[in-house]
Amino acid sequence: MADATTAPRTARARSWWGWGWADEHPDDAECIAMGALLPGTLPRPLPIPRVADLRIGRPAAEPPRSLAHLVTADPGVRAAHAMGKAYRDVIRALRGRPGRIPDLVARPANGQDVADLLEWAGGHGVAVIPYGGGSSVTGGVEYRGDAHQVVLSLDLTAMDRVLEIDTDSRAARIQAGALGPALEDQLRPHSLTLRHFPQSFEFSTLGGWLATRAGGHYATVHTHIDDFVQSLQVVTPAGVGTSWRLPASGAGPSPDRLFLGSEGALGVITEAWMRLQERPRHKASAPVSFADFPAALRAVRAIAQSGLTPANCRLLDPGEAALSGAARDGRSLLVLGFESAAAPVDTDLAQALDLARAHGGVTAVPSAGSADGAVGAWRSAFLRMPYLRDGLARMGAVVETFETATTWDRLPALIDAVRDEVGAAAREATGHPATVNCRLTHVYPDGAAPYFTVLAAGRPGDEVAVWDHVKDVATDVLHRHRATITHHHAVGRDHRPGYDRQRPEPFALALRATKTALDPHGILNPGVLVD
């Protein structure tokens, strides 16, 4: 076993109201330029909100002296923990209506601190909202309702160390509060990687990935964090549980599976042993364009069912390709990429390109080891998009994104229905033209995960109602087409209606019983998954 070192902390300021780094947000001129592309937006951007304007009151309770060193009531810290980073959250902050602000924010240093905080909270009816990087886009880290007088945000980011590395088994014991960059920085000296890179990588934690069953950037095979879990340590009001480290087990229902995706409603994940991989040394990528989107879908299906395992297999429809700047010629674009730690991948890429060409794809010369213009443009836009969304929100635009997954036989009809019905709902609600774009983010032999973007000018001051209506229509479309309410963004509170319709009732019964047994006072993330 090798000890790992703590990664250096950064002093760069996070945005309390929007995505990511405060200094990365578009300035007023860029916001106005983006707004000009959507008729009906505001003439000037909404001002960046200030914490001082929220008039945050004193907390409704104080922690006991034994826990005071872990807890703060600082207004700025409390405001930053009031919401996640969905469009709904951003526009509420811009309009000065962020919702219930937590009374206190705790930053435990270890599992015992978490247990002590839960014991105090349970005895005093304090709602506890587990909080990692705060990047939830489904209402997963906020409190809604009035059943609890006191709300505590439980921020785990002080628990950010890689504690042990087992190089023989290629695994590491990692604290749940480690943000993506800090985690990888601690693994890099050992030439190892977790190989989990969601869009929120900079601003999300291992515990958050586990609690939401997060999907990573890689398009095939190990698409979700679930695949890398060796064991979990979870602190619940009923006690602490640690599963065994095993490569595999057939011993009954998996204890890890109970807490993966539980979103802090059943317990707080404090540590995990995670399977690691060698860092890739061989990479190759290439873009493929298609005149016909249905043909592009068939090409991706052929690649997914071929036995090839591309790290990237993102299909962008013409609107999404134009939005990202990867292609503006009215064609769809497939971004293909392969990587390996063991051997060159040029042959794999060539075989995938042959399959794409057989379905009408037009390829450029592949770029081994680096991306060409189209692939590079897509990658830059992928990382920049959340900041641009916030800029559009400042212009009063409505920007909704949602993702799902379904089988190949249902996929074309689902995409058509979303474009037609969700687009019509956005047009009706706003009175302005609406755009609905689609891309595939993850692909499997039996289906794919489409990701939709809805853009329209909003109704000034009423943007949340418009967003809620579009979300309701999208939820109904997904349900009718037997597509999951979420492939990788979690349930939270925003997807709860769709989740209630999707899950079998006997499972719901078991989940409610589990909630009662593990959280008898009902303090953990109230309203998430079960009532």
Side-chain angles (χ1 to χ4, degrees):
M1 300 280 186
D3 291 331
T5 57
T6 303
R9 296 182 183 276
T10 176
R12 196 177 182 189
R14 289 275 302 273
S15 170
W16 78 267
W17 63 272
W19 183 264
W21 302 114
D23 58 9
E24 287 285 341
H25 279 271
D27 59 21
D28 287 4
E30 190 175 358
C31 291
I32 292 171
M34 288 190 294
L37 302 176
L38 283 178
T41 53
L42 301 173
R44 299 287 303 173
L46 295 169
I48 291 176
R50 302 186 311 161
V51 172
D53 294 334
L54 297 179
R55 299 178 181 177
I56 300 172
R58 294 179 59 82
E62 294 184 2
R65 184 176 301 177
S66 61
L67 299 175
H69 65 291
L70 301 174
V71 178
T72 181
D74 178 80
V77 176
R78 291 163 62 191
H81 287 74
M83 302 177 299
K85 302 303 181 185
Y87 169 85
R88 189 178 194 272
D89 305 325
V90 170
I91 199 67
R92 284 189 296 161
L94 289 169
R95 292 294 185 181
R97 301 190 293 265
R100 175 70 179 271
I101 292 174
D103 297 274
L104 302 165
V105 177
R107 297 189 78 232
N110 51 53
Q112 185 59 55
D113 287 346
V114 173
D116 293 342
L117 287 160
L118 292 188
E119 182 179 9
W120 167 70
H124 293 79
V126 176
V128 178
I129 313 297
Y131 189 99
S135 61
S136 169
V137 292
T138 61
V141 294
E142 68 176 271
Y143 181 85
R144 295 181 192 172
D146 54 9
H148 297 80
Q149 184 180 0
V150 184
V151 178
L152 172 74
S153 178
L154 187 66
D155 185 327
L156 299 178
T157 53
M159 300 168 58
D160 63 354
R161 295 183 59 209
V162 175
L163 300 172
E164 297 179 70
I165 296 178
D166 176 356
T167 53
D168 289 341
S169 304
R170 233 170 36 184
R173 180 165 68 98
I174 308 169
Q175 290 182 306
L179 291 160
L183 189 160
E184 287 293 330
D185 285 348
Q186 294 173 77
L187 297 178
R188 189 171 289 106
H190 304 273
S191 298
L192 296 171
T193 176
L194 180 59
R195 196 184 179 269
H196 183 77
F197 299 106
Q199 188 179 34
S200 61
F201 172 74
E202 282 186 281
F203 312 111
S204 54
T205 63
L206 173 64
W209 302 339
L210 297 167
T212 60
R213 298 185 65 197
H217 168 70
Y218 291 92
T220 61
V221 190
H222 300 304
T223 59
H224 282 71
I225 195 68
D226 311 33
D227 300 320
F228 303 123
V229 175
Q230 199 176 56
S231 76
L232 297 180
Q233 181 182 93
V234 184
V235 177
T236 79
V240 180
T242 304
S243 59
W244 287 15
R245 284 185 63 203
L246 296 168
S249 173
S254 166
D256 294 335
R257 290 283 175 180
L258 177 64
F259 294 103
L260 289 170
S262 62
E263 302 190 35
L266 303 180
V268 180
I269 299 169
T270 54
E271 292 181 11
W273 274 97
M274 303 297 297
R275 299 182 177 96
L276 306 177
Q277 301 178 50
E278 293 182 27
R279 305 189 76 83
R281 295 188 296 272
H282 306 277
K283 297 182 180 182
S285 61
V288 187
S289 66
F290 293 84
D292 181 61
F293 187 71
L297 289 177
R298 292 191 291 272
V300 173
R301 174 162 57 91
I303 293 169
Q305 294 176 347
S306 68
L308 298 169
T309 57
N312 199 0
C313 190
R314 301 234 173 183
L315 175 63
L316 318 179
D317 75 1
E320 193 73 8
L323 185 66
S324 69
R328 292 190 172 91
D329 56 3
R331 297 170 67 91
S332 300
L333 182 72
L334 173 61
V335 180
L336 271 175
F338 288 81
E339 64 177 41
S340 171
V345 292
D346 304 271
T347 299
D348 290 340
L349 177 61
Q351 292 175 358
L353 292 176
D354 285 343
L355 289 170
R357 292 189 195 100
H359 291 82
V362 176
T363 60
V365 176
S367 53
S370 62
D372 76 345
V375 178
W378 166 80
R379 184 175 292 112
S380 297
F382 176 75
L383 297 175
R384 183 68 178 153
M385 196 60 68
Y387 294 102
L388 301 183
R389 178 210 62 180
D390 291 358
L392 285 169
R394 291 187 62 200
M395 297 303 298
V398 171
V399 185
E400 161 64 337
T401 59
F402 61 96
E403 38 71 40
T404 183
T406 193
T407 51
W408 286 112
D409 59 316
R410 297 188 178 113
L411 185 64
L414 170 67
I415 293 174
D416 289 343
V418 168
R419 284 173 173 159
D420 293 342
E421 298 181 45
V422 177
R427 288 189 295 272
E428 179 183 354
T430 64
H432 297 288
T435 298
V436 181
N437 295 333
C438 175
R439 67 180 185 265
L440 301 188
T441 61
H442 302 76
V443 296
Y444 306 91
D446 54 346
Y451 191 116
F452 299 95
T453 301
V454 184
L455 296 168
R459 296 199 306 260
D462 206 21
E463 296 92 349
V464 170
V466 172
W467 186 90
D468 286 342
H469 175 63
V470 171
K471 174 68 76 175
D472 289 344
V473 173
T475 298
D476 184 63
V477 172
L478 297 182
H479 181 73
R480 284 191 285 107
H481 285 262
R482 304 283 288 183
T484 181
I485 190 62
T486 178
H487 172 263
H488 58 265
H489 277 167
V491 175
R493 291 164 178 83
D494 296 335
H495 289 159
R496 174 71 189 278
Y499 178 65
D500 285 352
R501 297 167 72 181
Q502 178 177 328
R503 67 185 175 194
E505 184 53 34
F507 179 76
L509 181 66
L511 191 58
R512 293 186 198 105
T514 302
K515 171 73 170 177
T516 300
L518 296 178
D519 182 21
H521 298 292
I523 61 169
L524 286 175
N525 222 358
V528 167
L529 299 185
V530 294
D531 294 325

